[in-house]
Amino acid sequence: RAYEMLFRLAFTDRFESNKGHIVVKTPVTFPAQNYAVHKIPDIDSEIENTVMCVMLRGALLPSIIMSKEIEEYSSHKYVTPFALFKINRDDSKNEDDMEYILDLKKSFFNLEDLDGKNLIFADPMNATGGSLVTVVKYLQQNGVKPKSIKFFNVISALKGSLRVTRALENCTCYTLWLDPVLNEKAYIMPGLGDAGDRLNGCDKKDNPRNIIRLIADYGSNISELYRNQLAKIEETVLD
């Protein structure tokens, strides 16, 4: 629900006066095929040049949900490509010297597919903003020039949102709630704990799940609801 609200905040609220139509087949086929016509904001130009960038693991499910929203609002049923980035922070560090490690061996993306695109990042919590900045700076150093960057969070630290927008050109942060304080270990106070572990469960340190096993753990309900998104992720990982 939170990501449906964030999607509307970023995309549909500004285009309410510019309406488009989507025609959908109904289950009624006798005596003739019946159709339903839905009037929705015309935002194809805003959403059909986007790539969903996932900072694994905590951001996988929110990214899938955001991609589904784009598909539903696209008159062409556009399914976003996915770029998957495995990034961790060094929790032995403090907030003032925190380091972020991008694990390229466990990441899946093509630089060519990201150049000139609107990049969307969805992460439940933004503490320092370091993960996003690290990923985008890596892409820029390798020749990727994003058209725009949008960062969607349910909860953000004020400091993290400011860091992101100051460090990255043409980047907008959308959040439902700002918490004011980070502690010395760069955790949001009061905070909710590790958002990734709450969404996905904890991994064993000596046997972390890969991306396919993580998706399988979401269960059949998720697989059915987000079939097109999971097919795109599977294609990205396996190809």
Side-chain angles (χ1 to χ4, degrees):
R1 180 69 179 138
Y3 275 93
E4 292 172 358
M5 295 169 65
L6 285 165
F7 178 86
R8 286 203 299 272
L9 176 66
F11 292 107
T12 68
D13 289 353
R14 294 184 293 122
F15 294 89
E16 282 298 330
S17 60
N18 184 21
K19 294 289 187 177
H21 296 84
I22 290 181
V23 179
V24 180
K25 287 183 178 181
T26 76
V28 180
T29 59
F30 183 84
Q33 175 67 61
N34 283 9
Y35 296 87
V37 179
H38 301 278
K39 202 172 185 180
I40 65 171
D42 182 5
I43 56 174
D44 285 350
S45 62
E46 294 289 312
I47 60 178
E48 292 191 359
N49 189 39
T50 59
V51 177
M52 195 62 54
C53 299
V54 185
M55 295 186 292
L56 297 171
R57 283 182 311 128
L60 180 60
L61 187 55
S63 301
I64 292 172
I65 294 169
M66 188 68 73
S67 177
K68 183 67 171 181
E69 288 295 300
I70 289 173
E71 180 186 9
E72 293 295 324
Y73 275 88
S74 165
S75 63
H76 306 103
K77 294 300 178 185
Y78 174 75
V79 180
T80 64
F82 281 80
L84 310 173
F85 302 94
K86 179 63 174 176
I87 187 163
N88 297 99
R89 70 182 199 175
D90 184 351
D91 279 334
S92 67
K93 302 282 187 175
N94 288 324
E95 194 270 333
D96 57 355
D97 65 349
M98 184 61 65
E99 292 183 1
Y100 297 84
I101 301 99
L102 178 59
D103 186 346
L104 294 177
K105 291 183 179 179
K106 296 180 180 178
S107 299
F108 306 91
F109 60 91
N110 292 314
L111 292 171
E112 299 81 7
D113 297 338
L114 299 168
D115 193 31
K117 299 297 178 66
N118 298 309
L119 306 185
I120 294 179
F121 293 80
D123 203 341
M125 299 174 73
N126 171 24
T128 68
S131 294
L132 177 70
V133 172
T134 298
V135 169
V136 174
K137 291 293 187 183
Y138 172 84
L139 296 177
Q140 291 173 333
Q141 290 165 7
N142 285 274
V144 174
K145 297 179 180 179
K147 183 178 180 182
S148 71
I149 302 164
K150 289 183 172 64
F151 194 26
F152 294 91
N153 316 114
V154 179
I155 297 175
S156 298
L158 176 60
K159 186 182 288 187
S161 294
L162 290 174
R163 275 184 179 147
V164 166
T165 53
R166 289 171 177 171
L168 302 177
E169 185 178 355
N170 202 17
C171 178
T172 307
C173 291
Y174 298 89
T175 187
L176 296 182
W177 181 263
L178 280 175
D179 270 347
V181 179
L182 293 178
N183 67 12
E184 65 177 15
K185 288 296 185 180
Y187 283 98
I188 297 174
M189 297 293 286
L192 295 173
D194 188 287
D197 287 347
R198 287 181 177 272
L199 279 172
N200 305 311
C202 297
D203 276 343
K204 296 179 180 178
K205 288 188 176 181
D206 57 347
N207 186 28
R209 290 164 290 179
N210 62 27
I211 183 70
I212 299 299
R213 288 162 60 199
L214 177 58
I215 289 172
D217 282 352
Y218 284 151
S220 59
N221 288 339
I222 294 294
S223 300
E224 188 61 34
L225 282 171
Y226 303 105
R227 182 178 297 275
N228 293 334
Q229 283 67 38
L230 295 181
K232 281 283 189 180
I233 293 172
E234 184 181 72
E235 179 183 312
T236 301
V237 173
L238 298 181
D239 288 350

